[in-house]
Amino acid sequence: RKLFTAVAALAVGVAALAGAAEAADKKFTIALVPGLTTDAFYISMRKGAEAAAAAVGAELVFQGAPDFNPVLQVPVLDAVIARKPDAILIAPTDKTQLVEPLRKAIDAGIPVVTVDTFIGTGKYQTGAGDADFPISYVASDNVLGGRMAARALAAAVGEKGKVYVSNVKPGISTTDQREEGFKDEMKNFPGIEVLDTQYNDNDANKAASQLQSVIARNGDLVGVFGANLFSALGAANGVQQAGKSGAVKVVAFDAPTSIVDNLKTGLVDIAIAQHPAEIGYFGVMAAYAHLTGQSVPTSIGTGFTVMDKTNIEDPNVAKFVYQE
Ligand code: T6T
């Protein structure tokens, strides 16, 4: 009987060891669903995610829609869930419209980390609300980013005159927060009037023509804050097309390669670069930690690099220009 117990215990021990070895050997598949596939911001995020996946021996699957739009993103998410990855990283394109589609992932036993944008309030694992189920939110502090943009634009225009925000559309956590931070910070500059926000649907051409219309209505416009890559690119192009380069100051959120020239020529005064590769890297690490039984912070904040013509040649700054 004793011998039997000992043999049985040994067998359990061996099985447990084998189980542990299997877990250590398991090659996890982690899916990354970006806001859209052709945006240098998400291309850079993918590079960071791939670096982290390689470091932990996981496979990274990158699958997204061609436009930043929940109607296009939801079917991509459904297809990703059907592939049953071990975890999903996603930049939800709307705070509310992605809640139910993402719940399907949780119901299928697939943990979710949101990167860049959030659903609900962005406060996860609180037991409150209907959208707190993601494990973690890995992103820039977008309210702070908006405040930084306001201070930079206020300085560029000498703290007086009319400015406006070129933005994507309401309902996106990141760009909503940037606008919120921008407008709140501008309250500290009584000489500045913030005109109505212009929404461009992430279309740089639309942002450029809106700039022209705003100037047509307000010949004394002195500045614009482009709250994301396409908004900023479009606003800068609009300023150039209107022949107002240098007269209408541009503060850009995001840093695609074209920003380097725009800073050098003075078309854009300041670019606030996010660290998308860092977001992708820590997004994968958060998922991997969760999958291997570690606890994970519910929010992970990543940094910014502020670029202007005086520092853009510095390799420690230039390395944060987005990859394509
Ligand atoms: O600004 C980024 C991202 O943070 C935002 O959520 C959507 O737009 C970008 O991808 C830039 O195009």
Side-chain angles (χ1 to χ4, degrees):
R1 168 110 208 214
K2 260 196 194 146
L3 184 66
F4 175 78
T5 312
V7 168
L10 191 67
V12 170
V14 168
L17 264 181
E22 200 182 301
D25 285 351
K26 179 161 164 54
K27 192 175 167 79
F28 292 113
T29 300
I30 299 176
L32 170 58
V33 180
L36 73 162
T37 48
T38 55
D39 177 337
F41 173 83
Y42 295 111
I43 293 169
S44 305
M45 183 188 289
R46 177 187 188 171
K47 299 235 160 98
E50 276 167 352
V56 298
E59 187 195 348
L60 187 92
V61 176
F62 183 79
Q63 208 169 325
D67 279 317
F68 195 96
N69 185 335
V71 175
L72 299 179
Q73 191 180 38
V74 170
V76 173
L77 173 61
D78 286 341
V80 165
I81 294 172
R83 287 173 73 164
K84 297 193 189 312
D86 294 291
I88 294 176
L89 263 48
I90 184 168
T93 46
D94 189 278
K95 279 185 282 205
T96 46
Q97 291 183 55
L98 266 293
V99 175
E100 291 315 314
L102 278 170
R103 197 188 306 284
K104 286 196 214 157
I106 300 297
D107 290 347
I110 306 167
V112 170
V113 170
T114 75
V115 284
D116 175 45
T117 44
F118 60 72
I119 53 170
T121 60
K123 305 270 181 282
Y124 297 156
Q125 303 293 320
T126 58
D130 64 350
D132 77 320
F133 53 81
I135 309 280
S136 188
Y137 166 53
V138 187
S140 310
D141 180 338
N142 288 290
V143 176
L144 174 65
R147 288 188 186 285
M148 291 162 68
R151 290 195 289 264
L153 191 57
V157 302
E159 300 188 9
K160 58 176 187 299
K162 293 179 181 167
V163 305
Y164 78 96
V165 183
S166 175
N167 211 345
V168 182
K169 62 186 155 203
I172 305 167
S173 71
T174 44
T175 48
D176 283 357
Q177 287 192 324
R178 288 169 203 161
E179 183 173 336
E180 178 197 323
F182 180 87
K183 287 184 169 165
D184 196 53
E185 188 68 23
M186 278 305 192
K187 291 181 185 152
N188 298 323
F189 300 98
I192 292 183
E193 182 186 349
V194 182
L195 303 173
D196 287 347
T197 297
Q198 303 294 307
Y199 292 108
N200 56 51
D201 283 316
N202 222 25
D203 178 345
N205 291 329
K206 200 164 166 184
S209 53
Q210 286 170 337
L211 187 288
Q212 314 255 11
S213 323
V214 175
I215 291 187
R217 292 192 299 271
N218 302 275
D220 51 351
L221 183 78
V222 293
V224 54
F225 167 40
N228 86 330
L229 194 153
F230 300 99
S231 306
L233 206 65
N237 288 342
V239 167
Q240 191 165 43
Q241 285 154 15
K244 294 271 191 177
S245 181
V248 175
K249 304 292 183 184
V250 180
V251 169
F253 217 85
D254 292 313
T257 48
S258 60
I259 210 73
V260 180
D261 288 339
N262 289 345
L263 287 171
K264 283 188 190 159
T265 62
L267 178 59
V268 172
D269 281 83
I270 299 272
I272 300 171
Q274 303 185 75
H275 293 178
E278 197 176 307
I279 296 175
Y281 190 94
F282 284 92
V284 166
M285 286 304 183
Y288 182 77
H290 176 78
L291 291 169
T292 52
Q294 304 297 318
S295 63
V296 176
T298 52
S299 152
I300 299 175
T302 55
F304 292 118
T305 296
V306 178
M307 302 174 170
D308 62 22
K309 66 166 169 297
T310 68
N311 69 9
I312 192 63
E313 310 272 12
D314 176 346
N316 285 323
V317 171
K319 72 179 181 194
F320 289 107
V321 171
Y322 299 173
Q323 299 170 56
E324 293 183 5

